Amino acid sequence: MIATVTLNPAIDIRYNLPVFQLDEVNRVSIVDKTAGGKGLNVSRVLSQLGIKVTCTGFLGGKSGEWIADQFPKWGLNNQFVPIQGNTRFCLAIESSEGHTEILEQGPLIEENEREEFLKNFDRILDTNQYIVVSGSLPSGLSSDFYRQLAAKAKQKGKYLLLDTSNEALEKGIQGNPFLIKPNREELCKLIGKKDATLEDMILHARAICQKGIKFVLLSLGKQGALLISSGRVLQANIPTLTSVHQVGSGDSMLAGFTYAHAKDYSIEEVLKWACACGMSNAASERTGEIDLSQVHYYLNFIEVKELTGGV
Ligand code: ATP
């Protein structure tokens, strides 16, 4: 059983415009609306992999209702905590000039809502072996909130996988989650070195693992990924894709990892599944969606090798 945590979900609206003109009226004919937030992307991919997923976090207002209405379509079990505030909207504008995003901060979480969530989280821990926790923290929650969740999971012997950044990641690590999934930029920030080399990153990731985290899954976009534990470093090389919509690839990767680990595949296979799901999302127009036959196809072309010397 797998659960996901999305504390600050959003209705993601994507406008496709031939040209985006500032200071002008821009009319759109194609509007794409999805239930967003990194944890919900993970949930959709897990669901496409055939897993029954329980989702939790906070939802409020009409926008929260809209998101909840999408869950049956994806077969997701809704365990979100209702809140007074309104779930946010996030806007992405795709045009020939590039990609522009406008992100609302999201609602304030009240103390009673936080307490309700924690009670709910304890129940979820009792019935799920894996908990995937993704994204930023909404206001009202302290920056060590993920540390608390990770520590609770560890205490109950559950696998908590954490994908976040900045202070939430820095503090979250102290709760010893099973895995963290930074990308290059996030790991550089964590180790406080803007231009860290891969060797630097491996060294630091190993040091993090020695403190009690089992895996650091370092995603490297089109360059594949590294899976680091205190004793081993595995490198996945992936084939090149021609057309790429990268948003959500990290979330899809985390879903692939969790799925394959829960199936008890070898760790090399788990890394391949993670990369294949990330690639399939990158090859798809939609965020947090994969094509299962494509995933199986990509698995044949991903090479995993053990790094003993340099990178
Ligand atoms: P996001 O924040 O957009 O979800 P991320 O930065 O967390 O993404 P990435 O490192 O970009 O994660 O991608 C995760 C995985 O997805 C990669 O390890 C790779 O397997 C796959 N992937 C991403 N981009 C590409 C690409 N351009 N070509 C092939 N595969 C890709």
Side-chain angles (χ1 to χ4, degrees):
M1 295 290 278
I2 301 178
T4 62
V5 175
T6 317
L7 297 177
N8 205 3
I11 296 185
D12 284 338
I13 297 178
R14 194 169 66 171
Y15 293 150
N16 276 300
L17 292 168
V19 187
F20 178 40
Q21 292 173 304
L22 278 178
D23 262 349
E24 297 283 341
V25 173
N26 292 269
R27 294 185 193 280
V28 281
S29 51
I30 306 167
V31 180
D32 184 49
K33 216 168 146 190
T34 39
K38 291 171 75 62
L40 287 179
N41 295 339
V42 175
S43 310
R44 281 201 299 277
V45 175
L46 282 169
S47 173
Q48 287 166 85
L49 290 166
I51 301 286
K52 274 253 163 273
V53 187
T54 294
C55 311
T56 187
F58 301 103
L59 283 177
K62 291 279 172 221
S63 44
E65 279 172 29
W66 188 88
I67 289 184
D69 287 347
Q70 310 304 306
F71 291 157
K73 190 165 81 184
W74 290 98
L76 304 176
N77 172 18
N78 178 3
Q79 292 290 326
F80 273 81
V81 171
I83 54 166
Q84 281 297 311
N86 291 309
T87 293
R88 64 193 175 138
F89 287 86
C90 291
L91 189 63
I93 302 164
E94 305 275 0
S95 71
S96 50
E97 284 89 3
H99 179 91
T100 307
E101 288 192 19
I102 300 166
L103 311 179
E104 289 182 19
Q105 189 185 352
L108 173 83
I109 306 303
E110 303 289 348
E111 186 153 352
N112 62 322
E113 296 166 343
R114 179 175 57 93
E115 290 307 313
E116 189 53 42
F117 173 85
L118 287 172
K119 271 193 241 150
N120 193 29
F121 185 75
D122 282 336
R123 285 192 293 268
I124 284 174
L125 278 181
D126 290 336
T127 46
N128 291 275
Q129 198 56 25
Y130 289 83
I131 298 95
V132 185
V133 178
S134 315
S136 58
L137 290 168
S139 42
L141 299 183
S142 66
S143 59
D144 78 339
F145 197 69
Y146 287 148
R147 182 192 58 74
Q148 295 176 43
L149 301 190
K152 276 174 178 283
K154 179 133 186 143
Q155 201 183 19
K156 291 200 174 174
K158 304 299 168 108
Y159 299 110
L160 186 138
L161 299 91
L162 178 64
D163 181 11
T164 187
S165 53
N166 301 322
E167 212 183 335
L169 175 60
E170 211 177 300
K171 298 217 167 136
I173 286 174
Q174 295 165 10
N176 284 329
F178 173 67
L179 172 146
I180 57 169
K181 194 223 71 65
N183 59 22
R184 194 189 285 264
E185 192 192 334
E186 287 157 354
L187 191 58
C188 282
K189 266 198 194 154
L190 187 70
I191 65 185
K193 205 167 169 190
K194 208 170 153 225
D195 306 312
T197 60
L198 272 189
E199 275 93 349
D200 288 336
M201 291 192 229
I202 291 173
L203 264 179
H204 277 86
R206 276 201 148 139
I208 290 171
C209 291
Q210 274 150 9
K211 286 186 193 148
I213 289 178
K214 177 78 179 161
F215 292 117
V216 175
L217 176 57
L218 171 61
S219 69
L220 300 166
K222 62 180 179 201
Q223 286 160 332
L226 292 176
L227 183 65
I228 300 142
S229 63
S230 59
R232 298 180 76 185
V233 181
L234 296 179
Q235 180 177 40
N237 289 314
I238 60 173
T240 307
L241 292 177
T242 41
S243 136
V244 174
H245 301 267
Q246 211 153 323
V247 184
S249 296
D251 307 329
S252 306
M253 164 171 246
L254 202 50
F257 185 100
T258 311
Y259 166 81
H261 195 273
K263 291 262 171 199
D264 218 9
Y265 294 168
S266 73
I267 202 63
E268 289 81 2
E269 277 302 301
V270 171
L271 180 56
K272 282 189 185 180
W273 270 87
C275 288
C277 290
M279 286 181 69
S280 184
N281 177 84
S284 158
E285 291 259 336
R286 299 185 66 88
T287 301
E289 283 198 33
I290 55 162
D291 173 336
L292 205 46
S293 56
Q294 200 177 41
V295 169
H296 282 282
Y297 177 75
Y298 290 149
L299 283 170
N300 299 313
F301 300 99
I302 298 169
E303 262 178 31
V304 170
K305 64 173 183 191
E306 182 114 28
L307 285 186
T308 40
V311 284

